[in-house]
């Protein structure tokens, strides 16, 4: 049973043996699109996309993914492997009565979207990955591109026990606040935004659960055929400090029908920095012929 949340537009959705907190907007009989946030976000990451997509007639569901903010936080690293995260997505669609779903994912949410499209191609109508590579290409790419190894060095730190929780939580999450500001264009994250994130990070057990996504990479499930059959759009901010553009090209090589939108002046946070461009691309891909009445936050 899908349960109402504490505010209009909020709901609790059972999926894959847990319950996720989510925000929804748009007509309930419209095509379902699920927006998947990354680290260290929660549903708030999509504040500039929700209303434009809903205004175009899409049923927009934006969950706090497992471990994040108000969603359930099952114990143990094994609860956060990619197969489990993909099963969460399919369970959300099942709970809302949809056989097929469009997925839009950023950062870790994009990895989950890629994995879901490869593992459950018959359930994914369309896929949009925003500054997120397919998990199947990352290892090979890093072995050939040492610069990417340097950019990804923080992952090794995040996989350690206990230490990253202490470092990241220190000084009211000073490192995490600084990382968001320094990796984005000026003004992308306001002080109020950062405080809102800190509230989500400070929930009991949340930070450990968020880091368990990284720890579970050591036990990444195998994917014999990582081909991506649903139509795919990759949106990539060219000034990403964490991920090289070559990862996007390698991911597109797995797609039967894929194309890219390069936004060279944007960073890893392209959907927040260039919302008009990103939203128009999303609408043309997910709801052709429709445009939002206005670019609004929620």
């Amino acid at each position: 049973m899908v349960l109402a949340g504490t505010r209009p537009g909020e709901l609790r959705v059972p999926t894959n043996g847990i319950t996720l907190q989510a925000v929804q907007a748009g007509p309930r009989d419209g095509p379902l699109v699920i927006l998947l946030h990354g680290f260290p976000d929660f549903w708030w990451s999509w504040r500039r996309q929700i209303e434009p997509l809903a205004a175009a007639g899409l049923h927009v569901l934006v969950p706090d993914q497992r471990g994040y903010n108000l969603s359930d936080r099952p114990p143990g690293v094994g609860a956060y492997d990619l197969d489990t995260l993909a099963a969460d997505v399919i369970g959300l669609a099942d709970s809302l009565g949809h056989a097929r779903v469009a997925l839009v994912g950023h950062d870790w949410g994009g990895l989950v979207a890629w994995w879901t499209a490869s593992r459950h191609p018959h359930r994914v109508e369309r896929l949009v990955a925003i500054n997120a590579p397919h998990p199947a290409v990352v290892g090979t790419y890093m072995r050939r591109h040492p610069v990417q190894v340097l950019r990804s060095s923080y992952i090794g730190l995040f996989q350690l026990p206990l230490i990253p929780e202490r470092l990241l939580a220190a000084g009211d999450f000073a490192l995490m606040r600084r990382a968001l500001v320094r990796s984005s264009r000026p003004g992308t994250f306001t002080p109020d935004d950062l405080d809102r994130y800190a509230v989500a990070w400070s929930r009991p057990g949340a930070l450990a659960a968020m880091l368990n996504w990284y720890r579970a990479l050591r036990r990444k499930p195998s994917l014999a055929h990582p081909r991506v059959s649903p139509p795919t759009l990759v949106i990539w901010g060219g000034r990403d400090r964490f991920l090289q553009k070559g990862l996007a090209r390698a991911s597109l090589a797995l797609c039967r029908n894929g194309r890219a939108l390069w936004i060279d002046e944007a960073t890893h946070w392209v959907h927040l920095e260039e919302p008009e461009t990103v939203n128009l691309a999303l609408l043309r891909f997910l709801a052709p012929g429709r445009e939002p009445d206005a670019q609004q936050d929620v």
Side-chain angles (χ1 to χ4, degrees), residues 213-252:
W213 286 50
Y214 289 94
R215 293 168 177 140
L217 284 172
R218 295 181 182 274
R219 56 181 77 185
K220 180 169 72 69
S222 63
L223 192 61
H225 303 289
R227 303 294 298 179
V228 180
S229 56
T232 301
L233 173 64
V234 171
I235 301 175
W236 204 270
R239 296 189 175 184
D240 192 321
R241 292 180 56 180
F242 309 109
L243 302 169
Q244 290 185 307
K245 189 181 290 187
L247 284 165
R249 297 192 179 99
S251 300
L252 283 167

Side-chain angles (χ1 to χ4, degrees), residues 92-155:
L92 289 172
D94 289 342
S95 287
L96 272 65
H98 287 261
R100 292 173 66 80
V101 58
L103 300 179
V104 180
H106 170 252
D107 185 79
W108 254 112
L111 271 69
V112 173
W114 280 113
W115 198 264
T116 305
S118 289
R119 185 67 88 190
H120 307 279
H122 61 292
R123 300 296 305 272
V124 179
E125 188 76 38
R126 286 176 176 262
L127 165 66
V128 182
I130 302 177
N131 281 74
H134 195 299
V137 309
V138 176
T140 300
Y141 185 89
M142 290 177 65
R143 286 191 289 272
R144 296 175 180 173
H145 298 85
V147 172
Q148 183 57 57
V149 175
L150 291 175
R151 291 191 181 191
S152 301
S153 59
Y154 66 93
I155 294 176

